[in-house]
Amino acid sequence: MVHLRREQYRSMPWRNGFGVTMEIAREPPVGGEFQWRLSLATVATSGPFSTYAGFRRSVTLIEGEGFRLDIGAQEPVVLESRGTTAMFPGEAPTHCTLINGPCIDLSLMVREPGWIISVIRLQDAVTVPVPLEAGAFNAVFCLAAGTLVTYPGGPTTGRGTHTRINLALHDTALLDQQATAVSVAPSQDMSTDMLLLTWKTATIDWQ
């Protein structure tokens, strides 16, 4: 389990120049091509999204009052509450119309024939176990500060063989393909609020 902090994300312009992306993680870490990429995007104005032919995409509202997505021939999708998600093919012409001011979204792109399995919002006031998809990549993205994520079987932290990290607002925990479960708990006097993203790629070693 790798702790990726918000201040470590790498800023870059959108491919079409209409916005700014904070790259969280990707595989491979460098180079022009990637199998998958997770990023935060600031949507400052209404306009088109960049096209990514050959990829599957998910977009989740993180901050702001939301936006409408017109995606090719699909029915329009309106994301107007935090944690709501749209999934669509990267080659589809996609236009974003802001509802009331700038927004921030969490974007996941996976190169086909890989695919995005799910994007789930989890909220709870107590510690809960979270099962993970076997042989898949998983990421925990923190929507509220003070989420403690525990992965059994990691390096010893002084209290047993577990990896424990405390996620601040908009931090990410990236889990490897061998992870089968984690537990999440509020580390302050509040409920956990997080997204669990799960995806597979064509390069996974199924053995």
Side-chain angles (χ1 to χ4, degrees), residues 12 14 19-24 37-44 49 57 59-60 62-63 67 102-107:
M12 62 188 67
W14 287 7
V20 177
T21 286
M22 300 288 289
E23 188 174 80
I24 299 172
R37 187 179 77 168
L38 183 65
S39 60
L40 275 178
T42 299
V43 186
F49 278 7
R57 300 188 65 177
V59 170
T60 304
I62 301 300
E63 286 187 2
F67 48 81
C103 295
I104 296 176
D105 69 60
L106 182 69
S107 171

Side-chain angles (χ1 to χ4, degrees), residues 166-187:
N166 192 0
L167 298 179
L169 181 66
H170 295 175
D171 282 4
T172 303
L174 187 63
L175 296 142
D176 65 26
Q177 300 160 34
Q178 286 71 49
T180 58
V182 294
S183 67
V184 294
S187 60

